[in-house]
Amino acid sequence: MKFILKINGTESPKAAYVGWTPVKCTLSIDKISVGSPISVTIITGHDEDKKGRLSLYYSNSTSSEPIDTIEHNFQDQESLTFYVAGKFPHASVTEKDTFITVEQKSIGDKSVDIEPLTRRIMVRVRKNANELTEEEVRIFLESFARLNLISSRQKYEGDYVVTPSKLLHEIVLMHTYDAQREIHQRSSFHPWHRAYLIHLERELQTVDPRVTIPYWKFDEKAEVVFTEKFIGKTEKTKVSEDAPFEDRLNENMRPKFDQSNPMYSYKDHTAWGPLRRAYFDKDPAQAKPLDRILDQSQIICDPDNTKQFLKWFDWEERGSHNGGHVAFTGHVVDAGRDPVDPLFFMLHSNVDRLWAMWQHEYSRFNGNKKETYPFQGKYNGKRGKEWASLSQHKFNTEEHFYNVYNEDIGNYAEDNLWPWDFDQVLSRPMRFWDLGNSRVPQINITFPNTITSSYPEGPLTIKSTIDYQDRINNQITLGFDYDDIPYFDSDKKLYCEKPMEGMESVETHNQNFLNVAIPVSERIEAANNAFLREEEDLALALEILSNKNEEELIRLKSVQLLDHTKEQFLDAAIEIIPETDEPIELRSALIHYVFASKRFNRYFSSRRPRFFDILRGLITDSNQQLRIQSIDILAAHEDEVVQSFLREEIRKEESEFISKQDAIFFLRQNTKPQHADLFREIFEGSTDIDVRKAAIEGLDQDPELVGFLQEVVMNKREDFKVREAGAFALHHINHEIMNDLAAQIISEPERESPNILFTNATPDPSEVDFKAGLLNMLAFTGNIDHLRQNENLRASLNRVTNESLDNRANFLSSFETSADTPAESPTIIEKMATELLNRLNRIDEDE
């Protein structure tokens, strides 16, 4: 006989993951003898030096109290049901550091003697990204990078701007621009994005079951998050007028990662080109990145906006979520391309956490109540072309999407959520369904179940996302919790127990900013704490923006404080941007905020032609900031004018507008077949290493170039910067071929002792970069079972990790040489070699 313990309905160790929400457990005894009573004891435990803790419960009601020990007497085929949950707030870090032990209490019949059973469990919850350990950071980022290697679930035929070939591409393309009206600026915004997060998280957990999506708490500084070791060091978006063309201006527009980061092999080759991100106002590592982002207490506790979901969802989306996006340039601000940046999901994890916190504060879990969700029932109105014909405003002929609102399909509690209802899409009104003219294909993908949660088993509806902890029905949960939001009544937190600091003075700050009679310095200070909501206040701010007699700083503050969802804002901004006598900083800010309004302004599409025409006029402007900013936006949207301009500039001997490196970078935002031909021409005809590197980076879309890229990577006469660029381009096309080459290069001697990995005893940092990048590929994207068979690789890695302290100081990457790395610290080369060796030697418990 033996004990059988099922957690989440199975004995599999892959199911032994819990949060604060209790999980059902069943205990039985295999082949129990009839008439033989057996007494058992069930207890929990934890590794003493670890973080996780467990509690046992007799029921999964929120009023249940924890118990230390469960005693039970088995008779015949009887089974026992109980519940286990993490002990709030004690979550695990990266491993199963808690356990349940079942043992026989006493042996009555000497013939019955059952071995004790111990099942190890991880208390797995979503955590504050700024408080993660290095191991937790690596697990999240590596899972994201590895997801980019898994083939798409479906095959897509057609001529699209982007055709998904990877599973991550499919997930990214759920959030395309022509779906904006379906998933933004209406009450389904929070439910839809909750489902989106769960979808990604469940797919990530197939890569590594320990992973959750951490939340970036964007109302405060995040000095740990915005580093080369995590989401990337993020620079200021401003382009200096003093920067010479030979510098790669785009470098400040991109997050920077070191070679120990899994994103290092992902950053240059996403579904939408090289990863772009820079901060627009304040460094998010040092401060809240945008003053207009309301603090958490204001979002949860504001007395005018938090009692009913109908007001709260707009309050959060406009006062919190939008600012998180608008704080940056690049992908994360670009609606439709933003999910290629993992920061997008960390941002939305915080948005979802704020909703969960609001639900917890006001007990808003019952999806049948309008206070919890205002649009009850199911949409039963007209659909498709019949629906679109009701109004000339329903269908946007320029952008090819439908304008849906709160009382349209997809926004009622029992409506199925797009795109997980693909069988019904032809009856839905919100997208342009002529696949032959679509920018991207419609994604036909099933909402994933996991071994820890098969909910929802039926259609995914808005209502099915609301009670994520299943506090009402107590049957099955969505499978996630947040580190600071408990489940049990005994742990309940009151986030609004104390009056909000400063909320009573917001109106005072508003009026002080709008008061032209007080000193400018006081108005600017007031603007940092203002939040304009009333129409009359917004009208006054619009007057300030348009008043050339106002101080520039005041006008800049008004840009932030205006409601960017209004068409009046767009019209005023579009009038100012082309005016050459207006301040450069003001024009630049308006370009940024008009483009950012693409995410949430229903009138953007009708103003887009005029806005883009203005930007086209600025691509040869004398001011470099306006010029690069305009090129960046237009290039990301396949604008033919700017693409033609960039092709011409690349071919020029010298340009007065943009460097060849930057022109190639911007063309790569939407690579076309003729661009690849141009990049190869430039690569083969140039002697400038940086130009050749930029060109080779752009050859990452054409499978026919695999052989050519292999030659570049293996050419020992080639510059290491170029070889590294070729390696990552090839890795994007076929990571298996490139990983085999990486293993070959690392395994084969470059020379005799003392260290065979490098061409000489004091290698150039670019060679160290190249070898560290290869180790990064192998560690984070390599087939470990395949690599275990390579004894030469293992021997080479052991030599690297056994280097003397004196000698290893010579093997610093360009990142380490610029960061003044302490001499006693392990080098990145050592770290990556050690990481790969550990993987070759490790056996996963869950396998």
Side-chain angles (χ1 to χ4, degrees):
M1 290 188 291
K2 67 176 183 178
F3 291 119
I4 299 175
L5 177 62
K6 293 184 177 181
I7 302 172
N8 282 309
T10 176
E11 293 183 82
S12 171
K14 292 184 178 181
Y17 295 86
V18 303
W20 315 133
T21 306
V23 167
K24 184 178 180 180
C25 302
T26 58
L27 178 67
S28 59
I29 299 177
D30 184 41
K31 298 179 181 178
I32 186 171
S33 300
V34 177
S36 300
I38 300 174
S39 297
V40 300
T41 300
I42 306 170
I43 61 172
T44 64
H46 57 269
D47 298 338
E48 291 300 327
D49 59 338
K50 304 297 183 182
K51 301 285 188 180
R53 301 290 185 273
L54 289 176
S55 293
L56 300 172
Y57 299 86
Y58 281 122
S59 81
N60 60 346
S61 166
T62 59
S63 61
S64 294
E65 293 293 333
I67 47 180
D68 295 327
T69 303
I70 293 178
E71 296 185 352
H72 182 71
N73 186 45
F74 280 95
Q75 184 74 35
D76 299 330
Q77 296 297 320
E78 182 183 1
S79 65
L80 169 68
T81 295
F82 62 97
Y83 294 85
V84 64
K87 184 176 182 180
F88 185 82
H90 304 286
S92 302
V93 177
T94 63
E95 57 190 288
K96 294 178 176 178
D97 58 354
T98 70
F99 51 85
I100 292 177
T101 296
V102 183
E103 55 187 8
Q104 202 169 342
K105 184 178 180 184
S106 61
I107 304 175
D109 186 339
K110 295 297 183 182
S111 65
V112 179
D113 188 0
I114 308 176
E115 286 290 326
L117 171 69
T118 297
R119 179 64 53 79
R120 298 197 71 85
I121 297 172
M122 179 180 182
V123 182
R124 183 182 68 185
V125 298
R126 296 176 183 173
K127 297 180 179 179
N128 187 333
N130 206 51
E131 298 174 1
L132 297 185
T133 65
E134 287 187 11
E135 178 72 357
E136 288 174 307
V137 169
R138 184 195 59 74
I139 288 171
F140 169 60
L141 296 178
E142 182 183 347
S143 299
F144 195 90
R146 281 186 173 270
L147 201 64
N148 197 42
L149 305 179
I150 299 173
S151 296
S152 58
R153 297 282 192 243
Q154 302 290 329
K155 298 297 182 183
Y156 301 89
E157 297 181 359
D159 185 15
Y160 304 113
V161 175
V162 171
T163 301
S165 60
K166 303 291 192 294
L167 174 57
L168 183 58
H169 296 174
E170 291 180 300
I171 295 173
V172 164
L173 294 177
M174 292 180 190
H175 199 275
T176 48
Y177 178 53
D178 56 348
Q180 290 306 294
R181 303 302 171 259
E182 172 79 356
I183 58 179
H184 292 93
Q185 288 295 293
R186 59 181 193 160
S187 58
S188 56
F189 165 76
H190 288 88
W192 191 93
H193 283 85
R194 175 169 287 178
Y196 192 42
L197 284 175
I198 296 169
H199 189 125
L200 175 73
E201 187 168 75
R202 289 182 177 183
E203 294 289 10
L204 292 175
Q205 287 167 356
T206 66
V207 176
D208 191 321
R210 297 171 293 175
V211 72
T212 59
I213 301 176
Y215 59 89
W216 167 44
K217 198 170 182 298
F218 45 77
D219 64 336
E220 58 189 30
K221 70 176 182 178
E223 67 277 12
V224 173
V225 173
F226 292 92
T227 65
E228 292 93 342
K229 297 182 182 300
F230 195 170
I231 209 64
K233 184 178 180 181
T234 305
E235 306 285 358
K236 178 74 170 175
T237 187
K238 184 177 180 180
V239 178
S240 171
E241 274 299 299
D242 298 328
F245 280 155
E246 56 264 26
D247 289 347
R248 296 187 70 176
L249 300 179
N250 71 79
E251 292 295 342
N252 279 350
M253 306 169 74
R254 314 167 74 180
K256 295 177 175 59
F257 304 91
D258 72 30
Q259 292 96 337
S260 65
N261 191 319
M263 287 291 101
Y264 192 76
S265 61
Y266 172 86
K267 61 183 174 61
D268 285 321
H269 308 280
T270 79
W272 290 109
L275 188 59
R276 293 155 39 246
R277 185 203 321 134
Y279 69 87
F280 186 74
D281 188 24
K282 296 179 181 177
D283 185 350
Q286 303 299 323
K288 179 169 67 173
L290 209 61
D291 288 329
R292 72 183 300 265
I293 297 174
L294 295 175
D295 293 338
Q296 174 179 293
S297 61
Q298 294 172 302
I299 292 297
I300 303 301
C301 307
D302 181 88
D304 296 327
N305 295 282
T306 55
K307 302 302 182 184
Q308 309 290 326
F309 187 72
L310 186 59
K311 291 191 74 171
W312 183 84
F313 90 83
D314 182 66
W315 173 241
E316 192 287 320
E317 187 177 2
R318 190 168 83 85
S320 178
H321 158 268
N322 289 354
H325 282 284
V326 175
F328 300 94
T329 62
H331 280 111
V332 79
V333 75
D334 190 352
R337 291 170 172 79
D338 38 6
V340 300
D341 190 338
L343 181 64
F344 167 91
F345 293 100
M346 293 165 58
L347 184 159
H348 271 279
S349 186
N350 191 53
V351 170
D352 186 72
R353 168 182 158 273
L354 290 171
W355 181 26
M357 186 176 287
W358 176 83
Q359 291 180 282
H360 183 87
E361 180 70 20
Y362 302 104
S363 298
R364 299 291 192 238
F365 296 99
N366 190 336
N368 295 318
K369 292 187 175 182
K370 286 191 173 184
E371 296 86 352
T372 300
Y373 191 80
F375 298 98
Q376 292 291 303
K378 191 176 183 68
Y379 175 80
N380 291 310
K382 297 181 185 296
R383 301 184 180 212
K385 293 181 179 178
E386 186 179 354
W387 172 89
S389 66
L390 294 175
S391 168
Q392 62 177 340
H393 301 296
K394 293 290 188 181
F395 182 67
N396 184 308
T397 56
E398 296 170 347
E399 298 291 343
H400 299 300
F401 59 72
Y402 289 97
N403 285 307
V404 291
Y405 297 87
N406 280 329
E407 296 185 5
D408 288 318
I409 191 170
N411 203 58
Y412 286 82
E414 296 177 21
D415 283 353
N416 296 348
L417 281 173
W418 172 91
W420 300 281
D421 62 338
F422 195 82
D423 291 341
Q424 300 184 44
V425 294
L426 294 179
S427 65
R428 297 176 74 86
M430 70 290 182
R431 301 195 71 186
F432 184 60
W433 296 114
D434 183 352
L435 300 186
N437 294 313
S438 291
R439 292 164 50 78
V440 297
Q442 311 309 324
I443 303 301
N444 180 7
I445 191 167
T446 303
F447 191 76
N449 292 330
T450 69
I451 197 168
T452 55
S453 176
S454 60
Y455 186 79
E457 294 180 340
L460 178 63
T461 66
I462 288 175
K463 186 184 290 186
S464 64
T465 70
I466 291 173
D467 189 10
Y468 73 100
Q469 295 176 315
D470 202 25
R471 301 167 68 93
I472 305 297
N473 297 317
N474 301 126
Q475 292 178 348
I476 192 165
T477 74
L478 285 173
F480 70 92
D481 285 292
Y482 289 99
D483 59 355
D484 57 350
I485 304 175
Y487 175 87
F488 292 103
D489 296 340
S490 57
D491 297 320
K492 185 172 177 63
K493 300 181 71 173
L494 294 175
Y495 303 103
C496 304
E497 192 172 15
K498 298 178 181 179
M500 289 179 296
E501 295 182 6
M503 272 305 294
E504 67 280 359
S505 63
V506 165
E507 186 60 33
T508 300
H509 292 307
N510 292 347
Q511 295 310 311
N512 285 344
F513 168 70
L514 297 170
N515 188 352
V516 297
I518 67 176
V520 168
S521 59
E522 293 182 22
R523 294 175 68 193
I524 291 172
E525 181 63 31
N528 294 336
N529 298 287
F531 191 85
L532 303 180
R533 286 178 279 182
E534 302 300 329
E535 290 296 332
E536 54 267 34
D537 290 345
L538 291 168
L540 289 173
L542 203 61
E543 291 180 11
I544 291 172
L545 171 62
S546 301
N547 186 354
K548 292 185 178 182
N549 294 321
E550 280 279 14
E551 292 285 343
E552 180 181 352
L553 282 177
I554 293 292
R555 297 177 75 189
L556 282 168
K557 289 294 182 181
S558 74
V559 175
Q560 277 200 25
L561 291 172
L562 282 165
D563 184 351
H564 304 132
T565 68
K566 304 289 189 182
E567 64 179 326
Q568 293 90 336
F569 160 72
L570 287 178
D571 291 339
I574 288 173
E575 286 296 317
I576 294 172
I577 292 170
E579 294 296 325
T580 57
D581 62 339
E582 291 281 15
I584 296 296
E585 289 298 322
L586 179 64
R587 296 167 70 194
S588 175
L590 288 172
I591 289 173
H592 175 71
Y593 282 102
V594 169
F595 175 64
S597 75
K598 167 188 174 185
R599 177 180 305 280
F600 37 72
N601 193 313
R602 290 181 178 271
Y603 306 96
F604 175 83
S605 58
S606 63
R607 271 60 171 186
R608 172 174 162 162
R610 170 64 178 147
F611 177 56
F612 275 26
D613 193 49
I614 292 170
L615 297 184
R616 293 182 192 109
L618 294 174
I619 62 178
T620 57
D621 193 87
S622 60
N623 180 268
Q624 191 166 228
Q625 170 71 19
L626 298 179
R627 189 166 66 243
I628 296 298
Q629 196 174 4
S630 300
I631 292 171
D632 184 30
I633 293 172
L634 292 170
H637 290 76
E638 319 90 57
D639 183 77
E640 288 294 341
V641 171
V642 80
Q643 289 192 356
S644 177
F645 165 79
L646 291 170
R647 288 192 294 266
E648 291 175 6
E649 296 306 301
I650 288 174
R651 288 195 164 95
K652 286 181 179 179
E653 197 66 36
E654 288 188 24
S655 170
E656 60 179 307
F657 301 118
I658 191 168
S659 69
K660 289 183 186 293
Q661 302 98 296
D662 289 332
I664 293 170
F665 170 79
F666 289 122
L667 267 185
R668 287 185 59 210
Q669 301 308 315
N670 286 280
T671 302
K672 297 180 179 180
Q674 64 267 35
H675 294 162
D677 294 339
L678 173 61
F679 295 159
R680 184 166 178 176
E681 174 190 329
I682 295 299
F683 170 76
E684 294 175 338
S686 177
T687 58
D688 186 304
I689 295 300
D690 289 329
V691 171
R692 300 179 77 239
K693 176 180 182 293
I696 206 74
E697 286 172 334
L699 301 179
D700 64 343
Q701 301 292 330
D702 189 350
E704 294 184 3
L705 292 175
V706 165
F708 171 74
L709 290 170
Q710 284 180 282
E711 292 178 4
V712 171
V713 173
M714 300 304 291
N715 184 356
K716 292 188 177 183
R717 295 187 300 275
E718 185 61 83
D719 186 271
F720 283 109
K721 289 183 180 180
V722 175
R723 291 179 72 185
E724 182 185 21
F728 283 109
L730 177 56
H731 189 266
H732 183 69
I733 297 173
N734 190 315
H735 70 278
E736 293 175 344
I737 289 177
M738 185 56 233
N739 284 341
D740 285 343
L741 291 183
Q744 179 182 337
I745 294 169
I746 297 297
S747 302
E748 293 180 353
E750 290 280 1
R751 60 188 182 87
E752 299 300 325
S753 59
N755 188 296
I756 65 172
L757 187 61
F758 301 108
T759 53
N760 59 65
T762 56
D764 186 273
S766 64
E767 181 180 359
V768 182
D769 289 345
F770 175 54
K771 303 295 172 60
L774 299 181
L775 289 171
N776 179 289
M777 290 180 191
L778 293 175
F780 297 133
T781 69
N783 183 324
I784 297 301
D785 289 336
H786 176 63
L787 294 174
R788 283 193 180 112
Q789 302 170 27
N790 190 331
E791 292 300 328
N792 290 334
L793 174 64
R794 193 186 296 269
S796 184
L797 295 173
N798 279 319
R799 279 191 288 269
V800 171
T801 56
N802 291 332
E803 280 297 326
S804 69
L805 179 64
D806 292 338
N807 200 35
R808 84 167 113 124
N810 295 323
F811 309 135
L812 300 182
S813 68
S814 57
F815 165 76
E816 290 167 298
T817 55
S818 62
D820 194 24
T821 305
E824 66 275 9
S825 299
T827 65
I828 288 177
I829 283 284
E830 281 187 296
K831 290 178 184 177
M832 295 314 302
T834 301
E835 176 69 33
L836 185 51
L837 274 174
N838 289 340
R839 289 167 187 250
L840 296 176
N841 297 327
R842 186 176 68 205
I843 298 177
D844 194 338
E845 176 196 356
D846 284 348
E847 293 299 324

